[in-house]
Amino acid sequence: MIRARPTAASTAAMTITKTADVEGTLQQIYALAAAGADIVRCTCNEIEAAEGLAHAVFTRLGGASVGWFTALNVGHTGGDDQAAVAENHARVYARLDLDADRVASPRQVHGNHVAQVMSADAGRSFPNTDGLVTDAPRTALLL
């Protein structure tokens, strides 16, 4: 099911009903992009039904990064322009109505370290960390 939410930034949202249907999901994303959506947010019915939990997966459409990192790259490592990465973060936060000081993110290294995020950690980046968990209200995790 596709739910378009037109905004000034032309964001579209879609709900994935069959997570194993990769081809169907890609076709929906391509259709939204062809219809003019510059950012596509994907959610899953099972996760959306969880009380007090918001979830989103963004495609790479609609970002500020160029070249190898085109377009919505949110990774701080690998050589992308940090101003573009900061802009991409701002775009994601705007689509989710989040303040940057409420978001924690890891600096992933493909290891096995998982950090617990407390309320006081919101707005922080966790170096050498590949996963985050929290039970802190109004604290967002960006992976």
Side-chain angles (χ1 to χ4, degrees):
M1 174 174 93
I2 300 174
R3 296 179 302 193
R5 296 181 189 155
T7 67
S10 182
T11 301
M14 61 183 272
T15 301
I16 301 167
T17 55
K18 295 180 181 176
T19 55
D21 183 9
V22 175
E23 185 63 31
T25 299
L26 289 174
Q27 288 176 359
Q28 289 180 33
I29 291 168
Y30 295 145
L32 289 169
D38 62 349
I39 292 185
V40 176
R41 174 186 177 216
C42 305
T43 61
C44 179
N45 285 336
E46 293 82 4
I47 296 174
E48 287 292 307
E51 187 175 327
L53 178 67
H55 172 265
V57 175
F58 288 88
T59 68
R60 292 184 62 100
L61 297 172
S65 297
V66 297
W68 177 259
F69 300 99
T70 302
L72 193 64
N73 176 41
V74 294
H76 289 283
T77 60
D80 195 1
D81 177 59
Q82 293 303 296
V85 173
E87 174 60 24
N88 292 338
H89 278 248
R91 292 178 186 190
V92 168
Y93 301 158
R95 294 335 177 263
L96 296 173
D97 196 25
L98 290 172
D99 293 324
D101 63 351
R102 298 301 318 149
V103 181
S105 63
R107 297 277 179 141
Q108 296 178 307
V109 294
H110 303 288
N112 62 0
H113 180 70
V114 176
Q116 181 177 8
V117 179
M118 311 303 279
S119 291
D121 295 321
R124 221 186 118 199
S125 178
F126 289 78
N128 301 314
T129 301
D130 286 289
L132 300 173
V133 296
T134 191
D135 61 359
R138 295 175 300 284
T139 300
L141 307 178
L142 175 70
L143 298 175

